[in-house]
Amino acid sequence: MDEPMDDSMAPSVAQGLVMIDELIRCGVSDIVLGAGSRSAPLALAAAAAEERGEVRVHVRVDERVAGFLALGIGKATGVPAAVITTSGTATSNLLPAIVEAHESNVPLLAVTADRPPRLRGVGANQTIEQAGAFARYTRMDTDMGTAEADSEGNRYWRSTIARCVAVATDSISPGPVHVNVPLDTPLVGEQLLQPLPPHLRGRNDEKPWTADARLVAGMSIPLDEALALLDEQADVPARGVIVVGDHDDDDAIDLIDEIADSLGWPVISEPSGRASAAETGLAHGPLVCDDDAFRAAHAPELVLTVGRVGLYRSILQLISAAASHVAVDTSSQWSDPTRSADLVLASVPLPPAKAASDPSWWEAWERADLLAAAAVETVLGSATGAPTGMQVARVVADIAPADGQLFLGASSVVRHIGSFAGRSLAGVSVVGNRGASGIDGCVSTAWGVAIGAQGAGAGPAIALVGDEAFWYDSNALAVPENEGRPDLVIVVADNDGGGIFSSLEQGAPEYATAFERVFGIPLGIGLDTLASAFGVQVHRATDLPSLRETLEASLGNGIQVIVVSTCDRASEARVLGEIRDAVRQAVASA
Ligand SMILES: Cc1ncc(C[n+]2csc(CCOP(=O)(O)OP(=O)(O)O)c2C)c(N)n1
Ligand SMILES: [Mg+2]
């Protein structure tokens, strides 16, 4: 039998209280609130829980920022942050962060307040089709029923939240979950600020309603046993390469070290693969593989990819050229952009009991990498004038603290770090929005990553982003004055426009007349003024020594922005071209 209605408590009020309580029981430690009225029961209950020290609350008026902030927190902690919005286009602004969470398997709970069903589809104010609006990108999507404040309501709200958190943190395929919550008036009541009445309480001992104890997938097996799944006669070949893309599995890094070391295979890691510091990690893998002749002569017998690969064309060509391909990816949408995987595993394999051996294989890669390093030094060492993005990347990688986080924006910065500075990032937790590679949401995500990681004791964070990525998400700097700030230095490589396009095909002279108009797009935005308007500390660095000095002094001092004036985009593309040519020549002479 249902408990009788508690007449004194409005159903929406009860639902707000219970949903926030259950989120906290399920381990949610951060709630990001947008502003608005329909979400009032959730917002007030969250504020009261914050007051009691049960949860951290972050308030952002721009819901796109709120979504990416929650994404960053989930990325850093593995625990979904709940982002709560009011109805209407407030909800639609969550789409970019939900897409990124979907693509990069980051847990995220989007809780959108809605009008009750009778007010939908009839032109009611601030009412749109919210239910299922993100369905293509969510792991689970539920449009809740209208609240009834009895014990059945309690059971329904709690079990729904418990399931949403379990689905968002699924061991194979974590990701975004959307809960649409119709809330009828009255939307406020004093009970929102008081303890829960008995009939609305959760399980004893602050336990979740339903605990998720499904099997954890992904046991490591030795590589020879993995290959035997394909062909019982298969041997582990001598000439292998390990390519590491974006992933969030810290255990994978040790396992990669172990297998690479035991087999003597080179490791080429994208920055957020965090494996460049392996014993056989290459410092300039993408540049070495840029040489067609080298790639042709060193096509691997087996390539082992880990996570989401695809930052460099040259590496994708290397993967395509391999005789066989084992992909490691815990996600159900495993990454195989070359469509070449023979086998997919959920975990990096252990060293095999037996493997063929050929010391000349590693020697050839090591030699090519050292020659590439010398060529890079020669070209960058003779570059004069304003710093290139490549040099800025090297300074940032050099200073990034080993106990901190380095967030890399999409576009040139992540590639520059990967080609020029990866080896110096041993131990640094490097992250980026590699799921969809958007230049939106970078500052918000970095902020969320800093909050999440520093909440668990990590050191100061740095974000390195391009100028477009910075102004695109400058609203991330609009934060209530009374809210704490993480230690985050945002380094902006300012080349006034989209620098990456200068080194793509459209940068060729034949497209020069339209290039600046549709690709470069210089806007001449005064980034110092823009950032200062939000009240953050801004510095401008015009050379590498001043960047180094300012960055070192800024670390650990809350939010700081350093705008670095880099050389013009065409010059940077020219220097990159010179480096490629120099590496090619050096590697050919090997
Ligand atoms: C949301 C979004 N819009 C457009 C793009 C396409 N895009 C990729 S890089 C880029 C230019 C980025 O410029 P900036 O951040 O200044 O970096 P730079 O290329 O100069 O290093 C654009 C527009 C994208 N990735 N994401
Ligand atoms: Mg730029």
Side-chain angles (χ1 to χ4, degrees):
M1 279 292 286
D2 292 357
E3 298 266 341
M5 276 281 260
D6 175 358
D7 286 339
S8 66
M9 191 180 291
S12 295
V13 166
Q15 183 172 3
L17 275 172
V18 168
M19 285 182 66
I20 296 295
D21 183 66
E22 190 62 31
L23 281 168
I24 295 166
R25 284 163 179 269
C26 292
V28 169
S29 56
D30 291 86
I31 292 176
V32 186
L33 293 177
S37 187
R38 189 56 49 173
S39 47
L42 296 157
L44 279 175
E50 179 189 40
E51 194 63 33
R52 292 191 298 271
E54 294 171 5
V55 73
R56 287 184 296 199
V57 171
H58 317 275
V59 182
R60 299 293 183 273
V61 178
D62 179 330
E63 287 84 5
R64 192 177 70 195
V65 168
F68 277 110
L69 181 73
L71 173 90
I73 293 170
K75 217 179 215 321
T77 61
V79 177
V83 54
I84 299 176
T85 71
T86 191
S87 65
T89 53
T91 62
S92 318
N93 279 294
L94 297 180
L95 180 66
I98 289 176
V99 170
E100 175 60 33
H102 163 68
E103 292 290 341
S104 54
N105 301 302
V106 173
L108 175 71
L109 298 168
V111 182
T112 56
D114 198 355
R115 300 272 165 143
R118 68 170 193 284
L119 291 175
R120 298 184 193 165
V122 290
N125 186 46
Q126 210 177 311
T127 308
I128 65 166
E129 292 296 335
Q130 291 179 198
F134 311 120
R136 186 70 187 77
Y137 301 102
T138 45
R139 302 286 185 272
M140 175 181 161
D141 165 2
T142 178
D143 184 22
M144 296 187 81
T146 314
E148 291 174 39
D150 55 18
S151 60
E152 280 306 310
N154 187 42
R155 177 186 292 264
Y156 170 46
W157 303 323
R158 289 189 185 276
S159 70
T160 302
I161 291 293
R163 179 172 296 234
C164 288
V165 176
V167 170
T169 53
D170 184 274
S171 59
I172 295 187
S173 205
V177 167
H178 178 203
V179 196
N180 193 52
V181 190
L183 291 166
D184 213 340
T185 49
L187 294 169
V188 297
E190 282 170 17
Q191 296 94 339
L192 282 165
L193 305 175
Q194 288 156 14
L196 283 169
H199 73 287
L200 292 180
R201 291 210 180 120
R203 303 259 190 233
N204 290 336
D205 305 328
E206 301 180 354
K207 295 253 172 33
W209 195 265
T210 310
D212 182 18
R214 290 171 296 157
L215 267 186
V216 176
M219 287 239 315
S220 284
I221 53 171
L223 182 58
D224 46 348
E225 286 179 29
L227 293 181
L229 297 172
L230 283 176
D231 170 5
E232 277 186 30
Q233 311 302 319
D235 289 326
V236 178
R239 301 175 147 229
V241 172
I242 300 173
V243 175
V244 189
D246 185 64
H247 67 88
D248 60 3
D249 179 2
D250 285 339
D251 294 340
I253 299 166
D254 290 339
L255 289 168
I256 291 164
D257 277 359
E258 210 179 310
I259 191 165
D261 205 22
S262 114
L263 292 169
W265 288 2
V267 176
I268 302 170
S269 179
E270 294 182 14
S272 58
R274 309 183 305 288
S276 321
E279 191 75 15
T280 51
L282 299 185
H284 305 287
L287 292 172
V288 168
C289 291
D290 213 21
D291 181 39
D292 293 343
F294 181 86
R295 242 186 12 254
H298 298 86
E301 293 169 301
L302 175 68
V303 68
L304 181 70
T305 60
V306 181
R308 188 184 193 105
V309 292
L311 196 53
Y312 311 101
R313 291 184 193 182
S314 62
I315 302 302
L316 289 173
Q317 286 169 322
L318 179 82
I319 297 170
S320 291
S324 60
H325 173 191
V326 174
V328 177
D329 199 328
T330 49
S331 152
S332 53
Q333 308 144 298
W334 61 79
S335 169
D336 178 24
T338 47
R339 295 191 182 275
S340 53
D342 298 283
L343 179 70
V344 63
L345 300 173
S347 178
V348 176
L350 300 169
K354 193 162 79 51
S357 143
D358 176 3
S360 71
W361 177 245
W362 164 242
E363 283 160 20
W365 282 91
E366 187 185 32
R367 190 169 158 69
D369 200 45
L370 289 172
L371 289 165
V376 168
E377 291 309 324
T378 307
V379 178
L380 284 184
S382 62
T384 51
T388 60
M390 295 79 90
Q391 291 164 307
V392 169
R394 276 149 66 106
V395 170
V396 169
D398 197 29
I399 294 177
D403 63 342
Q405 312 275 315
L406 175 62
F407 177 91
L408 298 174
S411 202
S412 313
V413 293
V414 62
R415 292 175 174 82
H416 288 342
I417 292 275
S419 291
F420 299 99
R423 286 282 286 176
S424 42
L425 286 168
V428 181
S429 189
V430 184
V431 289
N433 284 340
R434 300 302 319 150
S437 302
I439 60 161
D440 50 349
C442 290
V443 181
S444 305
T445 308
W447 193 299
V449 164
I451 287 176
Q454 286 163 28
I462 301 177
L464 174 60
V465 296
D467 51 294
E468 279 189 22
F470 179 71
W471 61 247
Y472 202 128
D473 196 25
S474 55
N475 274 357
L477 304 174
V479 176
E481 274 179 347
N482 57 0
E483 205 171 284
R485 266 61 174 166
D487 289 325
L488 172 67
V489 184
I490 304 160
V491 180
V492 186
D494 184 8
N495 53 16
D496 194 15
I500 190 152
F501 302 120
S502 297
S503 22
L504 299 180
E505 285 80 354
Q506 59 264 53
E510 51 270 40
Y511 310 111
T513 46
F515 184 85
E516 283 298 286
R517 177 92 178 103
V518 299
F519 297 112
I521 320 178
L523 297 179
I525 294 175
L527 297 181
D528 325 50
T529 317
L530 175 72
S532 302
F534 289 100
V536 296
Q537 271 217 297
V538 190
H539 318 263
R540 185 167 276 270
T542 49
D543 55 27
L544 297 171
S546 69
L547 168 62
R548 182 175 285 278
E549 195 183 321
T550 318
L551 181 50
E552 275 169 346
S554 302
L555 276 179
N557 287 318
I559 302 293
Q560 306 270 330
V561 174
I562 305 176
V563 183
V564 194
S565 318
T566 54
C567 68
D568 71 87
R569 293 179 260 108
S571 303
E572 181 167 307
R574 235 181 347 262
V575 176
L576 257 182
E578 283 170 29
I579 293 175
R580 287 208 182 101
D581 289 344
V583 169
R584 221 170 273 138
Q585 274 177 19
V587 168
S589 72

